[in-house]
Amino acid sequence: METVFTKIRAGVIPSAKVYEDELCFVILDINPVNKGHLLIITNEVYPTLADAPDEVLSHLLVIAKKADAKLREVLGCAATNVVINNGEASGQEIPHLHLHIIPRYDDDGRRLTFPKSRYDEGEIGALGKRLEFD
């Protein structure tokens, strides 16, 4: 399957690539939350987290750790958000697995927050039981 990311990887669409290896590549997001916002993209097209092999997922986190360190070193950011939009309902626009590494600053005025909800009496325990896994 061809995606905008496969076109970027092939050089059909220009990008600012900062890293590449046998499993992934890293580019600057063209619509950054903050300047330096990186995308870590799988070389193979895996639509979601569930589709990717475990070794690829492990590798993405290793690269995310390196990207985080580089952003802190070069930009002096105080923190990063590491985000995966996993499926269309989550806001994933391109069905090709990628991680966002977003540099964050104490005074950047941007907050990635979600509205909070509450469990009814006994609901959290019952749901917890249903969600147990090995």
Side-chain angles (χ1 to χ4, degrees):
M1 170 172 48
E2 189 173 68
T3 70
V4 67
F5 292 148
T6 60
K7 292 177 183 177
I8 289 170
R9 183 168 183 260
V12 175
I13 297 174
S15 69
K17 194 178 291 182
V18 301
Y19 178 83
E20 184 170 19
D21 65 27
E22 68 282 351
L23 296 177
C24 69
F25 63 103
V26 183
I27 62 172
L28 284 162
D29 192 313
I30 62 169
N31 295 304
V33 172
N34 283 324
K35 290 180 182 177
H37 179 162
L38 298 172
L39 299 178
I40 302 174
I41 306 162
T42 58
N43 287 343
E44 297 297 320
V45 179
Y46 305 109
T48 66
L49 195 67
D51 301 306
D54 290 349
E55 60 274 8
V56 171
L57 297 175
S58 298
H59 185 72
L60 293 179
L61 285 180
V62 169
I63 301 306
K65 182 178 178 182
K66 290 178 181 184
D68 171 85
K70 193 65 164 182
L71 288 170
R72 289 171 189 260
E73 173 193 335
V74 172
L75 300 179
C77 58
T80 60
N81 286 113
V82 179
V83 179
I84 299 174
N85 294 325
N86 191 42
E88 191 175 345
S90 73
Q92 183 181 12
E93 296 175 356
I94 300 167
H96 187 152
L97 182 62
H98 59 287
L99 282 73
H100 297 259
I101 312 295
I102 304 166
R104 299 302 305 272
Y105 304 90
D106 292 329
D107 61 353
D108 66 13
R110 293 169 167 80
R111 294 291 168 247
L112 299 178
T113 60
F114 299 96
K116 307 278 191 285
S117 56
R118 297 192 179 275
Y119 290 100
D120 292 334
E121 183 70 33
E123 185 180 18
I124 193 169
L127 184 55
K129 289 283 186 203
R130 290 177 49 211
L131 292 174
E132 289 178 359
F133 59 93
D134 296 326

